[in-house]
Amino acid sequence: MKLIIQIPCYNEAETLEIALNDLPKHIDGIDTIEYLIINDGSKDNTVEVARKWGVHYIVNFRRNKGLAYGFMAGLDACLRNGADIIVNTDADNQYCGEDIEKLVRPILEGKTDIVIGERPIDQTAHFSPLKKKLQHFGSWVVRKASRTSIPDAPSGFRAYSREAALHLNVINEYTYTLETIVQAGREKIAMESVPIRTNGELRPSRLFNSMFGYVKKSMVTIIRAFIMYRPLKFFTVVGLVPFLCGVALGIRYLVLFFLNNAGGHVQSLILACILILMGFMTMVIGLQADIIAANRKLLEDIQYHVRKMDYDSSKENADTNTGADV
């Protein structure tokens, strides 16, 4: 049983060694633990720090491509190098390395395929009151969109079984945390949460420049994921708003018509027709999107089998890749 711990990095030379030193060297039930970093276009000596420490694999990007892209590239490298379990953590040592055992234990016991660490958000000193409320609200929205019970959706401290990693796709360029939960929930991949600890803040977050930017990007990501996996429901709800408004105006006009008081209200009838057509066309778009979603599901199944053959073939030669850039 091989565990690979991956760490996305962007100019993390000052904190990377601290985070690496905190990672476990042995976990009961795991035969091999290896370490991988995703160098997302760092301008400092992040790679040199990783090599000096003894990281097994390095995924190198010449320019910054973002957290979501880096995450998927890390999964690809881990799978190709024979990982049975993949843990994702941060280079700023936000998460307690000892808790990695908590993440992998449910997977080792065959209880689940994805485990997400639940941070003590309300007890985290460097989180402002506004950020705490937004974290809770965002997690609630993700729970509704994904039909899961994950209490801390933005947490990047996660463990994936090989099977779960083979199924994952991330489309947005912002972050993987929210979309992967929505996808896993809709695909009915077994997923659970475990309480974890956090360390003190070593540097400010680089994922967003402002709270408004964080909220905006997070909501766009959630909505986009919901549209992808539940298009019919989304467009039906959106279409019902103008449709029902148009029906209400139409009923109002008919009441006035039968009361011989419809003169001067023709514009209401025209508006009612427009709104009804808008609502109807939006729901038709939902039907089309649902058909596209069904086709995407077939493509994802094909992709899964192609990936499995490809990665299983690579796994046979994983030992020869140790220590190499990937």
Side-chain angles (χ1 to χ4, degrees):
M1 181 69 69
K2 178 189 281 191
L3 164 66
I4 297 183
I5 302 173
Q6 71 170 32
I7 309 177
C9 297
Y10 179 59
N11 296 332
E12 305 286 3
E14 294 183 2
T15 61
L16 180 57
E17 187 173 1
I18 298 173
L20 289 170
N21 287 334
D22 195 44
L23 298 179
K25 307 301 185 294
H26 171 77
I27 295 175
D28 289 341
I30 300 291
D31 301 311
T32 305
I33 299 179
E34 295 180 344
Y35 311 92
L36 175 147
I37 71 161
I38 303 105
N39 174 40
D40 195 10
S42 298
K43 304 300 182 185
D44 62 4
N45 61 334
T46 294
V47 173
E48 287 74 15
V49 171
R51 286 196 173 116
K52 182 179 179 181
W53 189 87
V55 166
H56 297 82
Y57 312 104
I58 298 174
V59 178
N60 261 315
F61 298 149
R62 293 182 178 178
R63 57 171 296 180
N64 183 261
K65 296 189 177 183
L67 184 59
Y69 191 94
F71 170 77
M72 288 304 298
L75 287 190
D76 175 78
C78 290
L79 290 169
R80 288 189 183 281
N81 286 283
D84 297 297
I85 301 176
I86 301 166
V87 166
N88 189 88
T89 188
D90 286 356
D92 61 357
N93 201 40
Q94 176 186 171
Y95 308 108
C96 183
E98 291 182 359
D99 288 340
I100 287 177
E101 183 169 4
K102 291 184 180 180
L103 292 182
V104 302
R105 187 58 55 193
I107 297 177
L108 288 172
E109 294 174 353
K111 295 179 179 178
T112 189
D113 286 301
I114 299 176
V115 182
I116 299 176
E118 178 190 356
R119 296 167 294 176
I121 293 175
D122 292 327
Q123 287 74 46
T124 303
H126 61 269
F127 282 6
S128 67
L130 176 59
K131 185 174 181 178
K132 292 176 182 178
K133 291 184 182 299
L134 290 174
Q135 292 272 6
H136 288 306
F137 175 72
S139 296
W140 176 82
V141 173
V142 172
R143 286 196 296 273
K144 295 301 180 183
S146 62
R147 292 181 177 175
T148 64
S149 58
I150 301 301
D152 186 9
S155 172
F157 197 43
R158 305 174 172 211
Y160 298 90
S161 69
R162 184 176 182 85
E163 186 70 14
L166 285 168
H167 281 281
L168 290 181
N169 286 297
V170 178
I171 306 301
N172 82 90
E173 298 179 355
Y174 172 53
T175 179
Y176 63 91
T177 56
L178 308 178
E179 184 178 340
T180 50
I181 292 177
V182 175
Q183 181 187 0
R186 295 302 172 184
E187 297 293 331
K188 301 188 186 305
I189 299 174
M191 181 167 44
E192 69 176 61
S193 178
V194 296
I196 52 108
R197 297 163 291 173
T198 55
N199 299 314
E201 186 178 35
L202 296 180
R203 60 159 176 78
S205 173
R206 293 174 181 160
L207 189 57
F208 56 91
N209 296 322
S210 66
M211 193 60 66
F212 175 76
Y214 170 73
V215 173
K216 181 180 71 172
K217 289 182 178 180
S218 295
M219 292 308 297
V220 168
T221 300
I222 294 170
I223 292 172
R224 186 177 181 183
F226 190 76
I227 292 173
M228 285 181 59
Y229 297 102
R230 292 297 299 276
L232 183 58
K233 182 175 182 179
F234 177 85
F235 285 105
T236 298
V237 171
V238 172
L240 277 175
V241 176
F243 184 84
L244 293 177
C245 290
V247 169
L249 284 174
I251 293 174
R252 173 178 175 270
Y253 179 83
L254 288 175
V255 170
L256 293 173
F257 178 82
F258 287 113
L259 293 176
N260 296 319
N261 194 25
H265 293 282
V266 176
Q267 63 271 28
S268 295
L269 179 61
I270 295 173
L271 180 59
C273 293
I274 293 173
L275 289 173
I276 290 172
L277 284 173
M278 286 176 58
F280 178 75
M281 292 305 298
T282 301
M283 287 184 272
V284 169
I285 292 172
L287 290 171
Q288 294 175 327
D290 192 58
I291 294 172
I292 293 172
N295 288 331
R296 189 189 67 250
K297 172 63 177 172
L298 294 175
L299 291 174
E300 286 177 347
D301 288 340
I302 294 172
Q303 181 190 54
Y304 164 77
H305 290 291
V306 171
R307 276 179 171 177
K308 188 171 179 61
M309 289 187 293
D310 183 21
Y311 291 139
D312 286 351
S313 176
S314 298
K315 186 176 181 180
E316 295 176 1
N317 303 316
D319 291 340
T320 64
N321 296 327
T322 302
D325 291 1
V326 290

